[in-house]
Amino acid sequence: MTIEMETRAEQTENGWLDQDGFEGPFRPGNGPRSDPKGKFPTGPSVGEHMPDVRCIDADGEAFDLHADRGDSPAIFLFFRSAVW
Amino acid sequence: MQELADAGARVYALSYDEADALKDFQQAYGTTYKLLSDPDSMVIRHFGLLNTLIAEDDHPWFGIPYPGTYVLDAEGVITHKFFENNLAVRVGPEQLVRAVCGESISVEAIEQVAPTEANARVYLDGDNLPACVQRDLVADLTVPPGRHVYASPAPEGTVAVTLELDANPRIVKRELIRPPSEPHSLGASGEEFQVHHDRVRLRLPVTINGGLTVDNDSPAVTLSGILKWQTCDDEVCDIPASERFELSIPVEGPIMPSFMGPDDQDSPEPNAGKHFQRMIERRQG
């Protein structure tokens, strides 16, 4: 899959306006504002079993998604950062 | 949210932040969902979500995922996915509740005022529109017994049920979500078309336009448009019907700070400057 960068933007007093009209300090197509244009990878599909996730939690403890959730339904978010 | 807890759903959120940065965030905001740390983006890569539009030496941005959300059932099967091209649009809590709990939680009976006519109702699934948070404009249509409305695409000369929003620069809308339809064949010709019976719910995801939310003179946004449909039975089609709607929805200011950077004063994260600097240094090796 070739992934294209969304770079359409308009400069404003406060930063940059993207093609949807959202304004931010970074110009679209740069750093944290590197959004894809058109199709982009979204990982496993609906209907597939969620791959296991093994990493650490905020306490530094080992984490295993399916072991932790047991037989509960779950919402799993991939987000960019809690720092910026 | 209470509805998610009632459904027994667990909530997890993973980022490329260090564990102690997540801990600071958790303590500052009293979050109860589990925050997960993937500082080398191993999980992010394993899922194929690494944002490869960012150069590997562009620190500290390299390593972030294309953000998105999966909803899993009790067996661990993915039932819904929410991914957006624009980082300024995030899945709303109501949308997640509907995905986890199914539609039934929000189903309210529509009073059938005239048993032979369809009844329509359009409303926002949520109380307001804050910046960046997506919510659904919902259209419910009740189709009388023995009748159907056409799904999209409708046969030539008939009208498919659809929800259209008037142009509004303050609203960013996404593609209309239609319910599954059923095949229906016409007795005379045997032609088959897709239709809906009973109760039809259309969802149009909308987000308030981030750059235009700070408008003190206009703290509400008007969502207006039209719901169109055509009811038929096996022999006769009614003339196409429509109902206009106009909703005044309160707008909330940006819930995220407009500044994205390492300055503690403007950042959502305590010790952001320290964490941000460390992210860069660690990646520069």
Side-chain angles (χ1 to χ4, degrees):
Chain A
M1 184 191 295
T2 307
I3 307 157
E4 267 189 81
M5 181 93 89
E6 178 58 81
T7 56
R8 286 173 289 176
E10 189 183 314
Q11 195 157 19
T12 66
E13 276 177 29
N14 305 312
W16 293 88
L17 205 63
D18 69 21
Q19 90 290 349
D20 284 329
F22 290 98
E23 198 172 40
F26 280 85
R27 182 174 184 159
N30 289 276
R33 228 173 163 189
S34 298
D35 283 349
K37 180 182 176 183
K39 287 205 166 183
F40 64 100
T42 62
S45 306
V46 169
E48 286 182 33
H49 193 262
M50 180 78 166
D52 208 357
V53 174
R54 292 193 181 89
C55 58
I56 55 171
D57 66 17
D59 295 316
E61 301 289 332
F63 172 84
D64 178 320
L65 173 62
H66 291 303
D68 191 85
R69 69 170 187 83
D71 56 3
S72 299
I75 291 171
F76 197 99
L77 289 86
F78 283 86
F79 71 107
R80 298 184 308 154
S81 177
V83 171
W84 45 268
Chain B
M1 287 180 81
Q2 192 55 43
E3 286 107 322
L4 292 179
D6 291 347
R10 309 289 300 269
V11 180
Y12 305 98
L14 179 143
S15 71
Y16 78 154
D17 298 311
E18 303 283 346
D20 60 349
L22 295 174
K23 189 75 184 170
D24 277 348
F25 184 86
Q26 191 176 56
Q27 286 177 342
Y29 291 95
T31 53
T32 54
Y33 52 88
K34 210 176 213 3
L35 288 165
L36 302 169
S37 169
D38 183 28
D40 294 315
S41 306
M42 296 303 285
V43 177
I44 291 167
R45 288 171 213 261
H46 180 59
F47 272 69
L49 297 176
L50 183 72
N51 186 329
T52 53
L53 295 170
I54 300 172
E56 284 191 43
D57 60 355
D58 189 1
H59 304 302
W61 318 117
F62 178 74
I64 61 171
Y66 295 116
T69 303
Y70 298 94
V71 177
L72 318 181
D73 66 14
E75 280 73 48
V77 173
I78 300 166
T79 59
H80 297 75
K81 284 208 298 192
F82 297 90
F83 280 81
E84 247 294 330
N85 283 73
N86 195 321
L87 64 89
V89 179
R90 293 113 203 247
V91 60
E94 295 81 6
Q95 293 176 315
L96 290 174
V97 169
R98 302 305 162 243
V100 170
C101 305
E103 287 284 350
S104 59
I105 192 163
S106 66
V107 168
E108 296 159 37
I110 296 180
E111 202 176 331
Q112 195 82 23
V113 287
T116 56
E117 286 179 18
N119 285 291
R121 179 176 165 236
V122 180
Y123 59 97
L124 187 78
D125 189 4
D127 298 329
N128 54 19
L129 281 172
C132 299
V133 178
Q134 197 174 61
R135 297 211 152 114
D136 289 342
L137 182 68
V138 181
D140 280 345
L141 189 70
T142 307
V143 183
R147 304 177 83 73
H148 58 258
V149 293
Y150 284 110
S152 181
E156 203 179 331
T158 64
V159 172
V161 59
T162 195
L163 179 66
E164 293 172 4
L165 200 60
D166 294 340
N168 184 340
R170 299 189 72 197
I171 293 294
V172 175
K173 65 177 180 183
R174 293 302 186 224
E175 205 171 317
L176 184 66
I177 302 166
R178 297 170 172 278
S181 55
E182 303 155 40
H184 184 86
S185 53
L186 290 179
S189 65
E191 278 181 286
E192 196 170 273
F193 299 107
Q194 293 292 313
V195 300
H196 302 289
H197 293 102
D198 304 328
R199 186 186 170 83
V200 187
R201 173 168 288 173
L202 305 175
R203 288 182 168 273
L204 183 67
V206 293
T207 313
I208 192 77
N209 191 325
L212 300 173
T213 53
V214 189
D215 181 354
N216 294 329
D217 297 331
S218 183
V221 65
T222 301
L223 290 180
S224 63
I226 191 164
L227 177 65
K228 295 177 181 171
W229 70 90
Q230 186 172 14
T231 50
C232 302
D233 61 20
D234 283 346
E235 290 169 5
V236 184
C237 271
D238 300 328
I239 55 169
S242 64
E243 190 159 308
R244 282 201 58 82
F245 61 89
E246 188 171 311
L247 307 171
S248 181
I249 306 294
V251 171
E252 282 192 0
I255 54 166
M256 296 294 286
S258 59
F259 182 82
M260 288 189 291
D263 188 331
D264 277 0
Q265 199 183 336
D266 294 321
S267 172
E269 152 77 272
N271 302 320
K274 185 189 81 180
H275 291 310
F276 194 83
Q277 198 54 40
R278 191 157 51 106
M279 289 166 103
I280 294 175
E281 285 166 6
R282 179 180 181 281
R283 286 170 171 78
Q284 284 171 337

